[in-house]
Amino acid sequence: MSDPINYNAFSRDQWKAFANAATLPLTQESLRQIKAFNDRISLQDVQDIYIPLIHLLRLQYEHYQLLQKDKATFLHQHPRRVPFIIGIAGSVAVGKSTAARLLEVLLNHYLKDQRIQLITTDGFLYSNQELKQRNLMARKGFPESYDMSALIHFLNAVKGGQSLIKAPVYSHKVYDIVPDQFEYIVHPDILIVEGINTLQLPTNEQIYVSDFTDFSIYVDADPSLIETWFLERFELLLETAFQDPTNYYYPYAIGDHDQAIAKSRQVWHDIDLKNLEEYILPTRNRADMIIHKTFHHRIDRLLLRKY
């Protein structure tokens, strides 16, 4: 498939040439703590891909601040700090959460005077109880399984400068919203929002999540590779879940292994692949940047919107 005409495409070698000689602020151990279960990322990836990206984001953020200041002057308003929001989208199991956590760590290092926070849109899924009442458990992850109104009001509060905002917490361990537990967003300078729906256009809302993002990234890979990574992650989850009866994956971990793998394949094909093809992948070309992965999660190409 040819590249969209409104993007500049860069090979890995071309992209890494935009990095300066900055010392990596990470060790192999700190990187191990950042990455997800089966996401393979190296210090070389950080140097070649993420350091240039951080410098680009810093430029974007600095221009954004100037624009906000000039706009306030034009409107005869007192300048105020308007958070810069970075959206990260892509399929399940493609490595979004690792990318988001890595950006959070690197931005904290390079923009020491700024407050950086990270949140995932998983917290805005309806609870399993609510999904069952709506007959949507088989559609979990699809657009209608999210409380989009709550997510949009949350982002509006962030942009509006509300000093303390709470967001619900989702646990992948129990596969549900955690009752009476919240994340607190405290007037950040930069907020990273990671989730499969950060670029989607839900039909039941007049305002979209992407209306609040100032730079968006889509993590991309061939669906057949993502399926492999999805199944690998499921295997790793089984290896730890058997120790914890409260874990959602515990029944699969203590049951027949072949049946568990067959179930995971069914979930991928009936739910996650369908969601990817119908709702997630069509948003790819709305991103400011597309990060393309190949075998072993290796980033081989980057596309940056021209305009």
Side-chain angles (χ1 to χ4, degrees), residues 58-68:
R58 181 161 58 180
L59 286 173
Q60 296 273 354
Y61 175 64
E62 289 171 352
H63 283 290
Y64 176 80
Q65 286 184 305
L66 288 173
L67 175 61
Q68 296 305 316

Side-chain angles (χ1 to χ4, degrees), residues 96-139:
K96 298 186 308 300
S97 59
T98 294
R101 288 194 294 267
L102 185 52
L103 285 180
E104 180 187 22
V105 169
L106 293 173
L107 285 168
N108 269 305
H109 176 81
Y110 286 105
L111 281 71
K112 295 184 184 297
D113 296 330
Q114 312 304 318
R115 181 173 179 82
I116 319 294
Q117 288 195 264
L118 165 65
I119 194 165
T120 73
T121 62
D122 289 344
F124 293 90
L125 281 161
Y126 288 117
S127 68
N128 286 352
Q129 180 181 359
E130 179 73 14
L131 290 173
K132 289 173 183 176
Q133 290 175 350
R134 293 171 178 249
N135 197 28
L136 288 175
M137 275 301 289
R139 300 279 293 176

Side-chain angles (χ1 to χ4, degrees), residues 10 19 42 73 77-78 90 129 165-166 181 187 193 205 224 231 251 264:
F10 302 95
S42 67
T73 300
Q77 296 175 344
H78 291 294
Q129 180 181 359
I165 312 164
K166 66 180 184 180
Q181 186 172 328
H187 206 31
V193 180
E205 296 291 341
S224 63
L231 296 174
S264 68

